[in-house]
Amino acid sequence: MLMASKQRITEDKLQEKCAVVGVYIEDHPAARLVCTALWALQHRGQEATGISASDGKNLKTHKGPGLVAAVHTEESLEKLPGSLAIGHNRYSTFGSPFSHFQPVISNKDKYVLAVAHNGNLPIVEKLKEFLKTQAKKTEKYIADLNDSELIHDAIEYYMLQGETVEEAITKAFPLFTGAFALVILTKDKVIGLRDMHGIRPFAIGKIDDKGYMIASETCAIDSVGGTFVRDIKPGEMVVIDKEGLHSYQLAEGKETLDIFELVYFARPDSFMLGKNINEVRREMGRQLAREQKIEADVVVPVPNSAIPAALGYAEESGIKFDHGLLKNSYIHRTFINPSHLLRQRDVQLKLIPMREILKGKRVVVVDDSIVRGTTSKKLVSMIRKAGAKEVHLLSASPMVKYPDFYGIATPTQEELIASHMNVKQICEFVGADTVQYLSYEGLIKATGLPETTFCTSCFTGKYPIDIGEENKKHIDFSK
């Protein structure tokens, strides 16, 4: 268990915490649509997955570790009947990847709701105090809960006091201090709830004339043949029942979407804030080419996330684009811990250099971001060994200097290479001929939206939601 956890936190990419989906549809097994949507959202979480469903009388749940295809089988879906369902894919930022699976449910004698959460609450003192004093939970019980489970228990408490789910959520909402996109299931309702800053994305879709889907990304809605309607607003609660969709604004909201959704996390075919993710990333590459002019023979993306940016760079620069690195499609996340020797060769296992494309060439390598720099170092070395004459490493996003507290599994600040090295030092560390970054101003320009639309804390250290004094102690805001 411990070794697997260590392996997880050494990955040299920022990792999204979770994906959430909710479906209400008449005369159709909702769990099957949720399962299809979770397939489309597999990139947002690959450690565990779960589905809860209701047939109008009873709630049933199936969840476990692994990918969607492994956990949700024909047999398991047959045991999840009903027109209502919610689902979750998990990447853990709390505890072991082998625990705290979602949706969150209670003991069967109190099974009044299921909750799935994308995001993170950096401050949970209010929630813990509420559960201790009002719900009479023991400190030992509370200490074992993550933020999602605390949220579930607070809403459940009010429901067990006789409140409707809408009333329970409204009363518990002020206790939720942080970033969250929640899907909530009762026996007859599917509910979506978004924090007042809109850090994590959340979309509403219509499925024919029979029902609705709410999901982390629009690609999930597309996967079931649905039609995107709109985003859930910051601070909004949407309730879907047999009468349709109902909206309640629980707090005044202000959109500050995590800009890393556009840089890296979201699937390229998704839309956010009215923008196609693929086109935004392509424009990031074009903007990078305007800022960083390099004489080279070929532009190579780090697959797959950097392909749009590399295409944009090639278009703007006039340098030939080619797939000089191929991704091994059969290397997936696994709970099998490889040997130390194989861990040292993780980049070679995942990426295959195309020697005939790289040999003797001046190569521009475009990546979506540079986090720890350890993978970049291995990558540059691998390309040189394939015969490249020069290697120029370009990042399609600015320098990542600050950790995230809103649902992204980031390293500590000390592990973020740009927090303690300048560009020249990073270049020497990774062994490239040059290292260049897209400017912060260039990133904002590429989105086509105002800077105030986004949370850019990983680049600026400006956190729109309070992260708490304990977290602030570990950050150098002078960087």
Side-chain angles (χ1 to χ4, degrees), residues 5 7-18 44-45 47 90-95 118-120 200 258 260-261 264-265 333 371-372 400 402-413 415-416 458:
S5 178
Q7 181 189 351
R8 185 180 79 253
I9 63 175
T10 57
E11 292 170 357
D12 193 15
K13 283 286 183 186
L14 302 187
Q15 297 293 338
E16 177 58 65
K17 187 180 182 183
C18 298
R44 298 185 73 89
E47 289 183 353
R90 180 174 189 254
Y91 186 92
S92 60
T93 58
F94 177 92
N118 174 29
N120 185 54
R200 303 263 65 89
D258 185 346
F260 250 100
E261 294 285 351
Y264 171 66
F265 294 130
R333 280 188 196 279
V371 183
R372 287 184 176 87
V400 179
Y402 301 90
D404 177 86
F405 297 93
Y406 302 141
I408 303 172
T410 54
T412 62
Q413 188 175 27
E415 294 174 287
L416 297 171
C458 287

Side-chain angles (χ1 to χ4, degrees), residues 370-372 398-401 413 415-422 426 437 479:
I370 301 172
V371 183
R372 287 184 176 87
M399 301 176 83
V400 179
K401 296 184 177 183
Q413 188 175 27
E415 294 174 287
L416 297 171
I417 191 169
S419 73
H420 58 275
M421 289 188 188
N422 59 33
I426 293 171
Y437 291 81
K479 293 185 183 298

Side-chain angles (χ1 to χ4, degrees), residues 301-316:
V302 177
N304 287 325
S305 57
I307 291 175
L311 281 168
Y313 188 93
E315 289 168 356
E316 185 69 24

Side-chain angles (χ1 to χ4, degrees), residues 180-200:
F180 52 88
L182 299 172
V183 287
I184 300 162
L185 176 71
T186 66
K187 66 179 182 180
D188 57 0
K189 294 174 182 177
V190 170
I191 297 164
L193 182 67
R194 197 177 184 202
D195 73 79
M196 65 184 71
H197 293 273
I199 302 286
R200 303 263 65 89

Side-chain angles (χ1 to χ4, degrees), residues 421-432:
M421 289 188 188
N422 59 33
V423 173
K424 182 180 179 181
Q425 291 169 325
I426 293 171
C427 185
E428 292 173 355
F429 175 80
V430 302

Side-chain angles (χ1 to χ4, degrees), residues 19-21 34 38 48-53 59-64 72 80 85-90 100-106 111 113-117 148-149 152 183-185:
V20 292
V21 181
V34 167
L38 290 176
T49 182
I51 298 174
S52 294
L59 274 66
K60 295 183 178 180
T61 295
H62 178 75
K63 55 186 177 179
H72 302 304
L80 297 172
I86 64 171
H88 186 265
N89 288 338
R90 180 174 189 254
H100 300 282
F101 304 148
Q102 296 188 39
V104 180
I105 56 175
S106 286
Y111 197 178
L113 83 160
V115 174
H117 173 207
S148 308
E149 293 156 347
H152 170 276
V183 287
I184 300 162
L185 176 71

Side-chain angles (χ1 to χ4, degrees), residues 106-212:
S106 286
N107 296 327
K108 290 184 179 179
D109 60 335
K110 294 181 180 179
Y111 197 178
V112 296
L113 83 160
V115 174
H117 173 207
N118 174 29
N120 185 54
L121 307 189
I123 303 175
V124 293
E125 282 72 22
K126 281 185 183 179
L127 264 173
K128 289 183 175 181
E129 184 62 26
F130 170 81
L131 292 176
K132 185 169 72 173
T133 58
Q134 293 289 107
K136 308 301 181 185
K137 304 287 187 182
T138 66
E139 288 193 17
K140 183 178 184 304
Y141 171 83
I142 294 170
D144 291 333
L145 302 181
N146 67 9
D147 54 352
S148 308
E149 293 156 347
L150 292 168
I151 288 170
H152 170 276
D153 282 15
I155 297 171
E156 180 190 66
Y157 166 77
Y158 282 117
M159 290 185 69
L160 293 175
Q161 301 303 306
E163 305 280 8
T164 66
V165 65
E166 293 93 338
E167 292 168 341
I169 292 170
T170 301
K171 287 188 175 182
F173 184 80
L175 301 171
F176 307 157
T177 307
F180 52 88
L182 299 172
V183 287
I184 300 162
L185 176 71
T186 66
K187 66 179 182 180
D188 57 0
K189 294 174 182 177
V190 170
I191 297 164
L193 182 67
R194 197 177 184 202
D195 73 79
M196 65 184 71
H197 293 273
I199 302 286
R200 303 263 65 89
F202 215 178
I204 303 172
K206 192 85 165 62
I207 307 172
D208 298 327
D209 294 324
K210 296 182 177 180
Y212 288 92

